[in-house]
Amino acid sequence: MQKEKIFFPNLDGLRFVSFFLVFLYHTYLTFFHNIKDTSPDTYDYIQRLFQNGNLGVNFFFVLSGFLITYLLIKEKEYKGRIHVPHFYVRRILRIWPLFYLCVFIGFVVFPIIKKSMGQEPHEIANPLYYMFFANNFDFMHSWPVKPDATLLSVLWSVAVEEQFYLTWPLILTMVPLKYFKYVFLSIMTLSLVFRGFHSDFTEQDFAYRYFHTFSLIGDMAFGGLLAYYCSFDSKFRRFVTNLNRV
């Protein structure tokens, strides 16, 4: 069987929606209090309007879970197995160069620029976590205090993605294809249980719900479940296919 080229142009539209939600969410986030104080009524209105825009990040995780799982399912169908080393190499070439460039700028270039402007750097981020894609835990432990270099504070989601890329092909390699949906449902359930243990309205519990890998892996698993049902001639796939344009 000849391998088909897999491309979902409609996912680009969904990625834009996710990005735009996060962008609008960040329009009211600022580290400079004078901006808040200039027009407090406008600031409060924007904050209320876009306060849930951070869910765009979770939607990104769902999209990643869908796309990666779909590709791995098709690879297992065509080749009879998932070539894990090849998967790792593709992910490394795609993500590592830009990620480590951002880390270098955050920990090396930014302090130099700040000193040259007469300010004293006070970086709280731990570079060791960033070297091994565990910086979401570093960010979680320091929350609500953010890294001095704002660039570093946005890299936590990349760390979660890399942890997902590390474990997902291994899980799907060990599990027969027909049991994939049970794996995804189990992961979603465990993720919800983990979130339930951190459901208080405290900064610490918010950090666990929002940055911890066990909280976020359920989003990937949900995307994986959608990929599973879209990979075969299922009722779900026929339902989605036959939806009208509206």
Side-chain angles (χ1 to χ4, degrees), residues 25-120:
Y25 172 75
H26 281 281
T27 57
Y28 80 86
L29 293 179
T30 177
F31 300 116
F32 304 102
H33 290 283
N34 61 307
I35 295 179
K36 300 178 183 179
D37 298 336
T38 302
S39 182
D41 291 338
T42 302
Y43 181 83
D44 290 341
Y45 174 75
I46 294 175
Q47 182 179 16
R48 288 194 300 269
L49 191 61
F50 303 130
Q51 60 183 337
N52 294 317
N54 58 328
L55 293 176
V57 177
N58 298 88
F59 195 52
F60 264 118
F61 291 146
V62 174
L63 289 177
S64 292
F66 174 85
L67 183 58
I68 295 302
T69 304
Y70 191 90
L71 292 173
L72 292 176
I73 287 175
K74 291 305 176 184
E75 182 176 354
K76 200 162 187 175
E77 281 187 320
Y78 290 132
K79 300 181 179 179
R81 68 185 183 100
I82 297 172
H83 201 296
V84 178
H86 286 181
F87 176 84
Y88 287 160
V89 169
R90 291 194 298 268
R91 295 296 104 190
I92 288 172
L93 294 177
R94 188 180 183 89
I95 295 172
W96 285 26
L98 184 57
F99 176 83
Y100 283 117
L101 174 62
C102 292
V103 171
F104 177 79
I105 293 173
F107 282 108
V108 179
V109 178
F110 178 78
I112 294 174
I113 294 176
K114 196 169 183 179
K115 281 186 176 181
S116 69
M117 298 177 67
Q119 302 180 47
E120 192 63 31

Side-chain angles (χ1 to χ4, degrees), residues 161-210:
E161 290 275 2
E162 283 297 288
Q163 293 161 33
F164 167 68
Y165 296 149
L166 175 65
T167 57
W168 211 244
L170 297 177
I171 294 173
L172 300 191
T173 296
M174 295 184 292
V175 177
L177 193 58
K178 63 180 179 179
Y179 295 127
F180 276 16
K181 60 181 177 181
Y182 302 111
V183 172
F184 301 147
L185 288 169
S186 299
I187 292 174
M188 289 166 61
T189 302
L190 292 173
S191 182
L192 288 172
V193 170
F194 180 83
R195 295 184 193 187
F197 282 108
H198 302 282
S199 57
D200 289 340
F201 293 98
T202 64
E203 293 288 2
Q204 183 182 26
D205 272 7
F206 172 82
Y208 269 89
R209 288 196 307 271
Y210 197 65

